[in-house]
Amino acid sequence: VPVFVGVTEGLVIDLDDLAAKADQADVLMLSHMRGHIVDMDALMDLAQVHNLKVIEDCAHTMGAKWGDTWSGRAGIIGCYSCQTYKHVNSGEGGLLICEDDEIMARAIMLSGSYMLYGKHRAGPPIEAFEAVRLVTPNISGRMDNLRAAILRPQLRQLEAQCAAWNDRYHVVDQGLAQVAGLTRIKRPQQEKFVASSYQFLLLDWSSAAIRSVLARCLARGVELKWFGAPDPVGFTSRYDSWTYAPSSAMPKSDRILHGVIDMRLPLTFSLDDCAIVARIIAEEVAQEAKGA
Ligand SMILES: Cc1ncc(COP(=O)(O)O)c(C=O)c1O
């Protein structure tokens, strides 16, 4: 049974809320959602105090760092998605990294190695499988050779791709620097982010005003996603959308989620495209704010 933890205006996990709830769980599933990285030093200290194992969901932070540490290297497991919209793309698939022999042996068995685990070239020593080989089911989540072959050249390109995303991010961010009513996300210096998407807040705006901004931008060709709609659309589900898991209301987080506007920054956008996108958003937000 999951216990949901809130989000801050910086779009990272709320460490006060985590501290308050930490004793209710054994594992923290930390999602670096949309590439925003919390103060990992503070988080890992907290995890240690409360004996929480940290699993990092790095679906949006492959290639990013907190300080000098790669995203995915602080927790006990780092998970990376290679689905179409991620930093490396094999259509579907993903991988995890971990230095714990037993966890890795279990993961290899789970992935569907059958009794061929000894052939895994990056696996733990064969003895690590003894305790788990007959008690771990096969869920067939193997990384196949074809996908691996598609991904490996992309890993070599990753640094350049990340720089290209960040160039686009900075153009959009600059373009939105002076817009009344629009809150940009402050990013700490230690956060070496990879911005394959851009978020801003329309904090405390009414639903009607936000919908109006989205419609105005869409009419000019800029499609924005909103995390505040009562019903999830596309990728915008929230904790209260997941009715299969019980949750208690988190009013502080709800206020933030209500204001989160989101868009991808595909590398097919040129820097000029990004400047135009930012100009359109800036004009439409300003126009709506003036009317309100
Ligand atoms: C933040 C985040 N975590 C996890 C996933 C799941 O990745 P996959 O679809 O490869 O299982 C996604 C996928 O879209 C994601 O955006």
mmCIF file of all heavy atoms in Angstrom, residues 75-92:
data_model
loop_
_atom_site.group_PDB
_atom_site.id
_atom_site.type_symbol
_atom_site.label_atom_id
_atom_site.label_comp_id
_atom_site.label_asym_id
_atom_site.label_seq_id
_atom_site.Cartn_x
_atom_site.Cartn_y
_atom_site.Cartn_z
ATOM 1 N N GLY A 75 20.616 6.254 -4.815
ATOM 2 C CA GLY A 75 19.725 5.249 -4.236
ATOM 3 C C GLY A 75 20.278 3.845 -4.415
ATOM 4 O O GLY A 75 21.315 3.638 -5.052
ATOM 5 N N ILE A 76 19.530 2.874 -3.880
ATOM 6 C CA ILE A 76 19.998 1.484 -3.972
ATOM 7 C C ILE A 76 19.806 0.930 -5.387
ATOM 8 O O ILE A 76 20.559 0.078 -5.843
ATOM 9 C CB ILE A 76 19.287 0.619 -2.898
ATOM 10 C CG1 ILE A 76 19.963 -0.733 -2.762
ATOM 11 C CG2 ILE A 76 17.809 0.458 -3.141
ATOM 12 C CD1 ILE A 76 19.619 -1.434 -1.480
ATOM 13 N N ILE A 77 18.778 1.469 -6.084
ATOM 14 C CA ILE A 77 18.532 1.092 -7.484
ATOM 15 C C ILE A 77 18.242 2.365 -8.276
ATOM 16 O O ILE A 77 17.560 3.267 -7.781
ATOM 17 C CB ILE A 77 17.292 0.163 -7.621
ATOM 18 C CG1 ILE A 77 17.438 -1.089 -6.740
ATOM 19 C CG2 ILE A 77 17.054 -0.245 -9.070
ATOM 20 C CD1 ILE A 77 16.209 -2.008 -6.779
ATOM 21 N N GLY A 78 18.757 2.435 -9.480
ATOM 22 C CA GLY A 78 18.391 3.516 -10.409
ATOM 23 C C GLY A 78 17.695 2.893 -11.613
ATOM 24 O O GLY A 78 18.199 1.917 -12.182
ATOM 25 N N CYS A 79 16.519 3.415 -11.974
ATOM 26 C CA CYS A 79 15.747 2.836 -13.094
ATOM 27 C C CYS A 79 15.664 3.847 -14.230
ATOM 28 O O CYS A 79 15.390 5.024 -13.994
ATOM 29 C CB CYS A 79 14.313 2.528 -12.671
ATOM 30 S SG CYS A 79 14.165 1.673 -11.129
ATOM 31 N N TYR A 80 15.850 3.370 -15.432
ATOM 32 C CA TYR A 80 15.833 4.237 -16.616
ATOM 33 C C TYR A 80 14.879 3.649 -17.647
ATOM 34 O O TYR A 80 14.923 2.456 -17.921
ATOM 35 C CB TYR A 80 17.234 4.338 -17.230
ATOM 36 C CG TYR A 80 18.258 4.843 -16.255
ATOM 37 C CD1 TYR A 80 18.867 3.974 -15.360
ATOM 38 C CD2 TYR A 80 18.597 6.188 -16.199
ATOM 39 C CE1 TYR A 80 19.791 4.426 -14.430
ATOM 40 C CE2 TYR A 80 19.526 6.648 -15.284
ATOM 41 C CZ TYR A 80 20.116 5.762 -14.399
ATOM 42 O OH TYR A 80 21.015 6.215 -13.494
ATOM 43 N N SER A 81 14.047 4.487 -18.188
ATOM 44 C CA SER A 81 13.129 4.057 -19.245
ATOM 45 C C SER A 81 13.732 4.420 -20.602
ATOM 46 O O SER A 81 14.350 5.476 -20.752
ATOM 47 C CB SER A 81 11.785 4.772 -19.065
ATOM 48 O OG SER A 81 10.984 4.600 -20.215
ATOM 49 N N CYS A 82 13.539 3.555 -21.572
ATOM 50 C CA CYS A 82 14.008 3.836 -22.940
ATOM 51 C C CYS A 82 12.814 3.936 -23.879
ATOM 52 O O CYS A 82 12.941 3.688 -25.085
ATOM 53 C CB CYS A 82 14.962 2.747 -23.414
ATOM 54 S SG CYS A 82 16.301 2.446 -22.272
ATOM 55 N N GLN A 83 11.674 4.262 -23.296
ATOM 56 C CA GLN A 83 10.447 4.423 -24.080
ATOM 57 C C GLN A 83 10.614 5.644 -25.000
ATOM 58 O O GLN A 83 11.460 6.504 -24.780
ATOM 59 C CB GLN A 83 9.278 4.562 -23.076
ATOM 60 C CG GLN A 83 7.906 4.778 -23.654
ATOM 61 C CD GLN A 83 7.595 6.253 -23.764
ATOM 62 O OE1 GLN A 83 8.212 7.077 -23.091
ATOM 63 N NE2 GLN A 83 6.660 6.593 -24.643
ATOM 64 N N THR A 84 9.784 5.717 -25.997
ATOM 65 C CA THR A 84 9.963 6.669 -27.099
ATOM 66 C C THR A 84 10.348 8.090 -26.690
ATOM 67 O O THR A 84 11.183 8.717 -27.327
ATOM 68 C CB THR A 84 8.649 6.734 -27.924
ATOM 69 O OG1 THR A 84 8.364 5.419 -28.361
ATOM 70 C CG2 THR A 84 8.793 7.650 -29.113
ATOM 71 N N TYR A 85 9.721 8.648 -25.631
ATOM 72 C CA TYR A 85 9.959 10.064 -25.316
ATOM 73 C C TYR A 85 11.141 10.303 -24.388
ATOM 74 O O TYR A 85 11.355 11.415 -23.941
ATOM 75 C CB TYR A 85 8.696 10.663 -24.684
ATOM 76 C CG TYR A 85 7.514 10.691 -25.620
ATOM 77 C CD1 TYR A 85 6.330 10.062 -25.284
ATOM 78 C CD2 TYR A 85 7.600 11.338 -26.850
ATOM 79 C CE1 TYR A 85 5.246 10.075 -26.151
ATOM 80 C CE2 TYR A 85 6.522 11.343 -27.717
ATOM 81 C CZ TYR A 85 5.350 10.718 -27.363
ATOM 82 O OH TYR A 85 4.290 10.728 -28.221
ATOM 83 N N LYS A 86 11.901 9.258 -24.076
ATOM 84 C CA LYS A 86 12.945 9.420 -23.071
ATOM 85 C C LYS A 86 14.296 9.796 -23.707
ATOM 86 O O LYS A 86 14.402 9.945 -24.920
ATOM 87 C CB LYS A 86 13.066 8.132 -22.253
ATOM 88 C CG LYS A 86 11.747 7.705 -21.602
ATOM 89 C CD LYS A 86 11.116 8.808 -20.782
ATOM 90 C CE LYS A 86 9.943 8.355 -19.930
ATOM 91 N NZ LYS A 86 8.900 7.606 -20.598
ATOM 92 N N HIS A 87 15.321 9.950 -22.835
ATOM 93 C CA HIS A 87 16.587 10.512 -23.314
ATOM 94 C C HIS A 87 17.332 9.576 -24.255
ATOM 95 O O HIS A 87 18.134 10.011 -25.079
ATOM 96 C CB HIS A 87 17.456 10.933 -22.131
ATOM 97 C CG HIS A 87 16.818 12.026 -21.331
ATOM 98 N ND1 HIS A 87 17.389 12.583 -20.214
ATOM 99 C CD2 HIS A 87 15.640 12.678 -21.506
ATOM 100 C CE1 HIS A 87 16.581 13.522 -19.727
ATOM 101 N NE2 HIS A 87 15.528 13.594 -20.491
ATOM 102 N N VAL A 88 17.127 8.288 -24.086
ATOM 103 C CA VAL A 88 17.533 7.337 -25.128
ATOM 104 C C VAL A 88 16.284 6.513 -25.446
ATOM 105 O O VAL A 88 15.475 6.258 -24.566
ATOM 106 C CB VAL A 88 18.715 6.424 -24.716
ATOM 107 C CG1 VAL A 88 19.983 7.228 -24.479
ATOM 108 C CG2 VAL A 88 18.380 5.601 -23.469
ATOM 109 N N ASN A 89 16.143 6.118 -26.686
ATOM 110 C CA ASN A 89 14.838 5.662 -27.158
ATOM 111 C C ASN A 89 14.965 4.387 -27.980
ATOM 112 O O ASN A 89 15.587 4.383 -29.037
ATOM 113 C CB ASN A 89 14.254 6.825 -27.981
ATOM 114 C CG ASN A 89 13.119 6.421 -28.895
ATOM 115 O OD1 ASN A 89 12.523 5.363 -28.750
ATOM 116 N ND2 ASN A 89 12.839 7.275 -29.860
ATOM 117 N N SER A 90 14.361 3.317 -27.429
ATOM 118 C CA SER A 90 14.277 2.093 -28.237
ATOM 119 C C SER A 90 12.808 1.725 -28.446
ATOM 120 O O SER A 90 12.471 0.547 -28.595
ATOM 121 C CB SER A 90 15.028 0.943 -27.553
ATOM 122 O OG SER A 90 14.579 0.760 -26.224
ATOM 123 N N GLY A 91 11.954 2.707 -28.408
ATOM 124 C CA GLY A 91 10.524 2.460 -28.568
ATOM 125 C C GLY A 91 9.905 2.091 -27.235
ATOM 126 O O GLY A 91 9.110 2.813 -26.675
ATOM 127 N N GLU A 92 10.282 0.949 -26.713
ATOM 128 C CA GLU A 92 9.912 0.529 -25.363
ATOM 129 C C GLU A 92 11.157 -0.048 -24.703
ATOM 130 O O GLU A 92 12.164 -0.271 -25.351
ATOM 131 C CB GLU A 92 8.804 -0.540 -25.399
ATOM 132 C CG GLU A 92 7.447 -0.036 -25.871
ATOM 133 C CD GLU A 92 6.786 0.944 -24.901
ATOM 134 O OE1 GLU A 92 7.225 1.038 -23.725
ATOM 135 O OE2 GLU A 92 5.837 1.628 -25.326
#
